[in-house]
Amino acid sequence: MLSLDPYKIDLPVVAIFDEVKAVLKEENTLIVNAPAGAGKSTLLPLVLMNEDWLQGKKIIMLEPRRLAAKTIALRMAQLLNEKVGESVGYRIRFDNCVSDKTKIEVVTEGILTRMLQSDNAIENVGLVIFDEFHERSLFADVALALARESQQVLRPDLRLMVMSATLNLPVLSSLLKSRVVQSEGRQYPVEIKYDGDTDLMMLPELSARLVKKIIQNEDGDVLVFLPGEGEIKKCETILKRTLKGVLVYPLYGQLPPSKQMAAIMPNREGKRKVVLATSIAETSLTIEGIKVVVDCGLSRTMRFNPSTALSKLETVEITKDAADQRAGRAGRLSPGVCYRMWTKATHSRLREHRTPEIIEADLASLVLDLAVWGISNPNNLIWLTPPPKGAIAQATDLLHQLEALEDGRITSHGKAINQLPCHPRIAHMLIMAQEEGLTELATDIAAILEERDPLGKEAGIDINLRIEALRKSRKGLIGNKILSRIEKVAGQYRKMLNVEIDNSNVDPYETGLLLVYAYPERIAHAKPGNNAQFKMANGAITAAGHKDDLAHEAWLAVAHVNMRDSVGKIFTASALNPRDLAPMVKEKDQVEWDTKRGGFSAVRNLCVGHIILQSKPLQYYDEALKIKAISSAVSKEGENLLNWDKEVIQWQNRVLSLRKWNTDEDWPDVSTSALLESNEEWLSPYFNSVKKPEDLKKINLKEVLQHHLSFEKQQLLEELAPEKIEVPTGSKIKIQYHANGEVPVLPVRLQEIFGWQDTPTVNKGKVSLLMHLLSPGFKPVQITGDLRSFWSNAYFEVKKELKARYPKHKWPDDPLNEKPNRK
DNA sequence: CTCTCCCT
């Protein structure tokens, strides 16, 4: 029983108790929109725990963070006058506290996915609550999609309640086809001041300057949002040097807990406080007594690139809802002010809602989770934001490589991978290590790979140094926060795989072998001339520092790498024994055309992915492959490779003109682009004897093209669009056709056509030629499309001019009865 | 100059 009447608690959410109860009695889905501080997370589950429709089943509430899950469960238990683990419990990684009596379980996201996996129908659950859904974490999105599927297919009575502070409500409510219950928050007004745009390079200086101004002109403590540790440290140095009598605290995730507490704890008497924080202060940590927020408008996020299968950290503009949430931190206890380091104009073009993690995350685990559920095509689920196709394809590919999937279906190996609480690559390594007898080592590597680097980058790239550090820390010789977290994770793997601690010396080759299981595409081979550069099996070039211990190894097994530049940077790797690569070496015949390297070649390569170990000329190869290779080169660079001369172009233009004029006659598209694209069809029979680029030049293109037309069409072409036309002197003069079917041009000297009454034509008299009339010296004198009118009008003007310039020629008054001449 | 946050 509750220790007090929940309706008498002084929190805004009390006002919606009855409405929430009423909706959930009738409907199975509900959205609750309540800002921070409304009291929804603690009170709503308690008010609902005895509803009839639950039929004695449990309430599961999903929290994005372990600490939040634990403290919320604790508060609820206090309100019930109980201990945690009785009516209210929690389940998080490394720690759970539930019993048979538990009716409300607060769990973190990974746990819910696990629950849905072991029992698709979650039979003993009556209500799932998604708290802080606006954070749009990957797991929350997946869990909602799966819970929804379960509700529709197996459990129509299962209730879902989505709770969120700022959210794209219309989209969510139309997707879930559910009602929205709105709660007030407890928030004081925050005045927004736009302080003009900044640039990233000057951020520490500019934000420090702004803070100094605020300290002089405003009351209360100040919270500054900066993108990362680097900016925070620089800003801290400036402020400590220039601001006297003010306490400055940094606050970010990597800080030891005692220093985090110092920043969060209420102010020491008499002194004002400035906290410089990352986005950690947006949601995870609350600082008491803040009256002024300074927001730089940037944050760092991890983005996964499916084409390289790598994640990298990027600095991005925050969205409007995140900016509002940051500003809200100034109005928890009294009215406040928020300075935004951007302009109103910049603000208007910011995106409304934060990017859901599913858009830019590595989806390997997601695809595997769905496969375990029996869903091979993620599009079959209803998503608030569908996962991107490229990332799904990359994940599916990888899972096939790891043999977790076969033809899109989960394998028994895939199920085993899914049982382990880590990325599928690492789970695959852990399982394969059992066969190699290297499980102990693998548990250490797995834990190191998923946590931050416990040594600085000054330690070099050798991952074996990290393993040794972990082993020393277990012997109590050294220690730090990261190492103890790594050991916690390693311990969980040891327990699951049933092995003991191994603190012996490490054999780097064993490490290398294991890393290859996790990252097969990152096997790296020293480039010739070894300047610490390596080519990886996926084709990318990477480098180690010149002085690194591993810089002169022939082979590396690379774990983490950054590919921001064209030559990537290796962060962690191990030496690799080439003998361990034997099973991965594949014989690949390469039949290709490379114009720069002299044309055609056929070789047999021994390779590991893109790394070529050995290359020998190939005596016998499939002729069809050769044709394909040349043809594909021709389609790309054919205009330069072939002898594409004026003759060919004239022939193309003749056919193309007829294609334009006589649409009923079915003339083929012989434009250059069409011909190059279809070259395999019409040109490839001539490739047999081709070896070098010169051989391609020797092909008589016009002849080949001519023959590609049917005999009838060849004849028709000569008849309708002849290459040349005979003029009265008997000269055969070339007609200039155009590709677009424009009127063809006949350039001819005037004296050669005396006696020609009418304009000459082609295409059975349907197309008159445009005459370019020339002087005896082939200079243009007149253009006409109507010869008859020329003779009776313009001719007399032209005659005068020509007579002056060419007095020895005959320029008759009656040109139609004059004999033409070629003189 | 890699280092935001978080989860099984």
Side-chain angles (χ1 to χ4, degrees), chain A residues 24 27-29 53-55 57-58 60 116 120-128 130 146-152 154-161:
Chain A
L24 283 176
E27 292 166 32
N28 66 7
T29 309
W53 46 260
L54 275 175
Q55 297 173 324
K57 293 182 177 186
K58 273 193 286 195
I60 297 285
L116 279 159
N120 289 11
I122 37 176
E123 280 300 343
N124 55 355
V125 178
L127 166 67
V128 181
F130 296 82
L146 290 181
R148 191 93 182 117
E149 178 79 5
S150 172
Q151 194 185 42
Q152 288 183 339
L154 308 160
R155 289 280 314 279
D157 64 305
L158 176 67
R159 261 71 168 178
L160 303 179
M161 181 161 85

Side-chain angles (χ1 to χ4, degrees), chain A residues 230 291 513 614 728:
Chain A
K291 279 186 126 178
L513 173 64
Q614 192 192 67

Side-chain angles (χ1 to χ4, degrees), chain A residues 93 114 139 364-366 368-369 416-431 442 446-447 449-450 489 492-493 496-497:
Chain A
R93 190 180 191 183
R114 231 29 23 142
F139 274 118
S365 290
L366 177 148
L368 189 63
D369 282 343
I417 285 176
N418 194 245
Q419 289 296 314
L420 292 165
C422 54
H423 191 283
R425 288 179 185 270
I426 292 168
H428 174 70
M429 175 194 77
L430 283 167
I431 294 168
L449 288 176
E450 288 216 316
V489 176
Q492 193 185 23
Y493 293 138
M496 296 184 84
L497 300 173

Side-chain angles (χ1 to χ4, degrees), chain A residues 273-290:
Chain A
K273 183 165 86 169
V274 175
V275 178
L276 310 173
T278 60
S279 50
I280 194 171
E282 223 171 83
T283 50
S284 311
L285 299 172
T286 304
I287 306 158
E288 298 301 333
I290 296 297

Side-chain angles (χ1 to χ4, degrees), chain A residues 450-711:
Chain A
E450 288 216 316
E451 292 296 327
R452 282 218 182 175
D453 188 355
L455 309 180
K457 61 170 182 287
E458 314 79 50
I461 65 169
D462 193 347
I463 194 171
N464 294 292
L465 298 175
R466 279 81 184 164
I467 304 171
E468 277 163 16
L470 176 63
R471 294 182 171 190
K472 271 186 200 155
S473 82
R474 281 199 296 245
K475 291 184 210 157
L477 297 174
I478 52 168
N480 68 38
K481 190 186 162 198
I482 303 173
L483 283 172
S484 56
R485 212 165 46 204
I486 292 173
E487 170 52 16
K488 208 169 182 184
V489 176
Q492 193 185 23
Y493 293 138
R494 285 198 300 272
K495 216 168 150 191
M496 296 184 84
L497 300 173
N498 207 11
V499 290
E500 296 300 318
I501 286 179
D502 177 2
N503 279 345
S504 60
N505 290 334
V506 186
D507 174 356
Y509 282 164
E510 291 178 350
T511 305
L513 173 64
L514 291 176
L515 286 179
V516 167
Y517 282 117
Y519 307 102
E521 82 275 24
R522 298 181 203 162
I523 294 168
H525 185 39
K527 296 235 304 171
N530 194 352
N531 40 4
Q533 290 199 354
F534 295 82
K535 182 177 190 173
M536 298 202 296
N538 65 7
I541 307 297
T542 53
H546 281 279
K547 288 183 185 156
D548 202 285
D549 290 343
L550 296 185
H552 302 289
E553 289 286 330
W555 289 90
L556 291 181
V558 175
H560 293 312
V561 62
N562 174 323
M563 290 302 305
R564 185 163 55 188
D565 305 314
S566 58
V567 174
K569 253 192 203 142
I570 299 172
F571 295 148
T572 40
S574 174
L576 178 62
N577 187 343
R579 260 183 269 165
D580 289 330
L581 287 172
M584 326 210 45
V585 177
K586 298 263 168 352
E587 199 176 69
K588 257 192 274 179
D589 290 350
Q590 185 183 308
V591 178
E592 64 166 15
W593 178 279
D594 186 333
T595 308
K596 281 190 205 132
R597 284 207 237 141
F600 177 75
S601 73
V603 289
R604 171 157 292 176
N605 292 331
L606 286 181
C607 28
V608 175
H610 285 72
I611 304 167
I612 296 170
L613 304 175
Q614 192 192 67
S615 186
K616 276 184 187 164
L618 195 59
Q619 240 74 27
Y620 305 98
Y621 53 86
D622 185 355
E623 202 61 26
L625 289 177
K626 172 183 170 183
I627 303 293
K628 273 258 177 305
I630 301 179
S631 159
S632 109
V634 167
S635 71
K636 276 177 219 128
E637 37 184 325
E639 250 178 302
N640 297 322
L641 280 176
L642 297 163
N643 193 13
W644 213 286
D645 60 9
K646 278 190 200 148
E647 292 282 299
V648 179
I649 294 167
Q650 145 102 341
W651 180 89
Q652 282 176 288
N653 290 349
R654 287 163 66 204
V655 176
L656 288 171
S657 289
L658 287 173
R659 181 176 159 87
K660 206 88 187 174
W661 300 335
N662 308 343
T663 44
D664 53 328
E665 282 175 11
D666 226 11
W667 290 93
D669 181 4
V670 294
S671 61
T672 306
S673 59
L675 285 175
L676 288 178
E677 202 175 309
S678 65
N679 79 78
E680 192 171 351
E681 189 191 317
W682 59 272
L683 190 61
S684 65
Y686 302 85
F687 291 162
N688 287 328
S689 58
V690 171
K691 281 261 154 77
K692 293 176 292 221
E694 301 90 274
D695 302 333
L696 280 172
K697 287 269 188 219
K698 282 184 208 145
I699 299 176
N700 186 335
L701 267 196
K702 191 188 158 188
E703 216 166 81
V704 174
L705 285 166
Q706 190 92 357
H707 284 306
H708 194 62
L709 288 181
S710 69
F711 183 68

